[in-house]
Amino acid sequence: MTPSRALDDLVIRVAADRDRAAFVALFDHYAPRVKALLIRGGASPSAAEELAQETMLAVWRKAHLFDPARASAAAWIFTIARNLRIDSLRRGSPSLYDLDFSFGADEPAQPDAILSGAQDAEQVRAAMRTLNADQAQAIEMAFFQEQTHTQISQALGVPLGTIKARIRFGMMKLRVFIERGSAA
């Protein structure tokens, strides 16, 4: 079983049985990654921590909505995080960009976490290179620049349905590429 499938199965176990051990494994794997993504997006470490916890709480509550045929657990969880961040920005939550006076009070990243993150990032970069230019641009705008589908549609002058299709089909290609890479 590929690591991606194993993580998908953890979400399914949470949905089916409210499996706490499966949720702990999901939390341990994804919470730090979600927090890092939010920090890279400009959130303070404390706000990123809060949104990461909110994301994982949503995973617990909404696990029954997860469909492994539509997306991997990673894509589903990162989409939840992205949407929560956008909601927070829309509400004008000042805490998202509050100054964090802890200045490095967090423990330094462990070497294996740094290596794992670098490997994950390289795998995503390689997968992005397999997409056509339109799909790559739409996904980059949605997930890295955190623009809504409507904003992307307006910026590119392309119908909203076309943007949604580009993102959906691009994400499906990414999933296949990453799953093949994990199986190797």
Side-chain angles (χ1 to χ4, degrees):
M1 180 179 298
T2 66
S4 178
R5 291 273 187 231
L7 293 166
D8 291 355
D9 287 344
L10 291 175
V11 178
I12 292 167
R13 287 176 31 205
V14 169
D17 304 321
R18 301 309 254 176
D19 187 325
R20 290 176 187 262
F23 182 73
V24 167
L26 280 172
F27 191 97
D28 289 346
H29 183 80
Y30 284 111
R33 287 168 170 81
V34 169
K35 180 180 176 183
L37 176 74
L38 294 167
I39 289 172
R40 281 193 307 269
S44 68
S46 60
E49 177 75 27
E50 187 176 322
L51 280 172
Q53 289 182 12
E54 196 174 331
T55 298
M56 296 313 295
L57 181 59
V59 168
W60 175 258
R61 290 181 178 156
K62 297 180 180 186
H64 65 283
L65 299 175
F66 172 66
D67 181 0
R70 292 191 58 182
S72 67
W76 184 69
I77 291 169
F78 286 121
T79 300
I80 291 171
R82 176 183 170 271
N83 292 342
L84 287 171
R85 181 166 187 263
I86 289 170
D87 289 346
S88 180
L89 290 169
R90 284 184 181 147
R91 286 191 308 266
S93 175
S95 67
L96 195 57
Y97 293 100
D98 279 351
L99 294 177
D100 186 4
F101 294 105
S102 63
F103 292 119
D106 293 339
E107 291 183 32
Q110 297 299 313
D112 60 334
I114 293 169
L115 179 60
S116 174
Q119 289 170 339
D120 290 348
E122 179 51 40
Q123 191 175 26
V124 169
R125 280 192 292 277
M128 287 292 288
R129 288 190 294 268
T130 68
L131 301 177
N132 69 45
D134 292 334
Q135 290 171 336
Q137 183 180 33
I139 288 173
E140 182 176 328
M141 292 174 80
F143 292 94
F144 298 110
Q145 297 172 16
E146 298 186 4
Q147 295 183 26
T148 65
H149 292 174
T150 302
Q151 290 170 325
I152 298 167
S153 171
Q154 292 169 348
L156 298 178
V158 177
L160 181 61
T162 301
I163 295 301
K164 290 181 178 185
R166 287 177 183 174
I167 292 171
R168 178 170 164 75
F169 291 123
M171 292 300 289
M172 288 172 19
K173 285 182 185 177
L174 290 175
R175 179 180 185 192
V176 168
F177 180 88
I178 289 171
E179 286 177 351
R180 282 187 188 144
S182 298

